[in-house]
Amino acid sequence: MFPVKFHSFRGASILTLALLISACSTNKYAATEKIYKQKTKDFAAIISAAPPAGQLYDLANPTNQTWVGSVNFGIRKPNFVILHHTAQDSLAQTIKTFHSTKAATSAHYVISRDGKVVHMVNDYLRSNHAGVGKWGKDTDLNSSSIGIELDNNGTTDPWPDAQINSLVKLLETLKKTYNIPTANFIGHSDIAPKRKPDPNKFPWKKLALKGFGYWYDDVLQNPPVNFDGPNALKLMGYDTSDLNAAIIGFKRHFIQSDITPKLTPVDLLVLYNVYTKY
Ligand SMILES: [Zn+2]
């Protein structure tokens, strides 16, 4: 709420009041903001309960455990950033989807084609953007990552400079604030290659040059004769339990011109080069 000085110039104060009333009555997100606040309040209550409710490790033997709160702790921080394309036609449509309890999906940030950034979930909270997926041994990427949705129809849309420039600025802040490793800027198709193709034909190289994710060098060395491509994919983080899906995920990210589930000699050169960076 802004302080309004009624004792100042009368005409101006009435005008200010009228503007304030109009701003309040036209907040089309008032209802969803109210739900957001209530949910954060509920989570705050869970966090501040001491002893925490429902966290007894041995329900059969409750007398064998007690609660003594420590004074040294912090709040858990995100350690990955996962990029998506919205597969929608506008920012407004995406916001509408992220307000639909039926869709049950969200992202921490949405970036429009013209570079406008909309923050929708506090970085410290878990947004529903990653779904079922795996990277390395991490099987709950929603808990460990920030999700960024880029407004893009996922097929014919280009990636405008304004959108990428805003993304880079946001990534700079996130990387610095949460000390996120360079390797941990990845795509939805990396962690869920069986289900997700996004972000499609994305300019990953541009991001890698700024320090977000890795890209291969201009000059590629031949891998050693015993180079194990599938194992390299696994060590990078890909879930190779479905090897074809992992290869497609890798090729969507690093090859793009061909996403067949087969590692060609050129793909192996690229894979060996990026694998040594991860
Ligand atoms: Zn996605």
Side-chain angles (χ1 to χ4, degrees):
M1 198 70 178
F2 303 103
V4 183
K5 286 185 185 165
F6 286 100
H7 57 272
S8 62
F9 179 58
R10 196 176 158 74
S13 64
I14 289 167
L15 180 67
T16 313
L17 190 63
L19 283 172
L20 273 173
I21 290 167
S22 119
C24 293
S25 61
T26 56
N27 181 7
K28 60 177 173 174
Y29 300 123
T32 44
E33 286 300 301
K34 205 176 159 191
I35 294 168
Y36 183 94
K37 275 192 185 154
Q38 186 55 53
K39 287 191 88 157
T40 55
K41 243 182 169 177
D42 295 346
F43 289 132
I46 291 171
I47 290 169
S48 58
Q55 295 182 12
L56 287 181
Y57 67 87
D58 184 359
L59 287 171
N61 195 7
T63 55
N64 194 34
Q65 50 203 310
T66 188
W67 164 262
V68 181
S70 170
V71 294
N72 304 315
F73 54 92
I75 193 155
R76 291 175 197 257
K77 295 183 295 182
N79 199 36
F80 287 89
V81 170
I82 295 173
L83 302 184
H84 306 256
H85 67 227
T86 57
Q88 307 227 340
D89 292 321
S90 69
L91 179 66
Q93 195 190 357
T94 301
I95 291 174
K96 201 174 166 194
T97 303
F98 290 172
H99 280 158
S100 156
T101 48
K102 207 174 157 197
T105 181
S106 65
H108 293 89
Y109 297 89
V110 185
I111 305 182
S112 72
R113 290 161 170 83
D114 63 3
K116 190 178 171 196
V117 179
V118 182
H119 195 182
M120 295 194 74
V121 177
N122 188 309
D123 297 350
Y124 291 113
L125 293 174
R126 186 177 185 274
S127 135
N128 302 345
H129 65 95
V132 177
K134 194 177 175 198
W135 190 249
K137 297 269 187 282
D138 192 334
T139 55
D140 183 12
L141 273 306
N142 274 338
S143 285
S144 56
S145 71
I146 295 278
I148 302 176
E149 287 275 2
L150 298 149
D151 199 27
N152 181 293
N153 69 10
T155 51
T156 52
D157 274 353
W159 295 99
D161 286 344
Q163 190 177 36
I164 298 301
N165 292 342
S166 288
L167 172 65
V168 166
K169 268 191 209 158
L170 173 59
L171 295 182
E172 277 166 1
T173 305
L174 295 174
K175 188 178 185 185
K176 206 169 138 195
T177 308
Y178 304 117
N179 201 18
I180 298 173
T182 300
N184 290 4
F185 293 80
I186 51 179
H188 203 184
S189 57
D190 292 312
I191 65 146
K194 251 201 271 191
R195 300 187 301 119
K196 297 291 178 180
D198 62 313
N200 191 36
K201 300 217 163 147
F202 188 71
W204 287 108
K205 184 180 179 181
K206 263 190 196 172
L207 254 55
L209 292 174
K210 305 264 183 193
F212 311 111
Y214 288 117
W215 195 251
Y216 55 88
D217 298 320
D218 292 338
V219 180
L220 300 172
Q221 310 271 351
N222 275 319
V225 279
N226 60 349
F227 178 61
D228 182 344
N231 195 43
L233 287 172
K234 191 177 180 181
L235 292 171
M236 280 174 75
Y238 287 97
D239 176 7
T240 52
S241 61
D242 182 334
L243 184 58
N244 283 353
I247 292 172
I248 289 173
F250 166 77
K251 289 176 73 162
R252 274 190 199 283
H253 190 130
F254 293 99
I255 307 295
Q256 299 192 358
S257 55
D258 151 46
I259 52 161
T260 51
K262 185 179 180 296
L263 289 170
T264 67
V266 174
D267 297 342
L268 282 168
L269 283 178
V270 171
L271 173 57
Y272 176 61
N273 187 265
V274 287
Y275 149 76
T276 55
K277 300 169 195 285
Y278 274 81

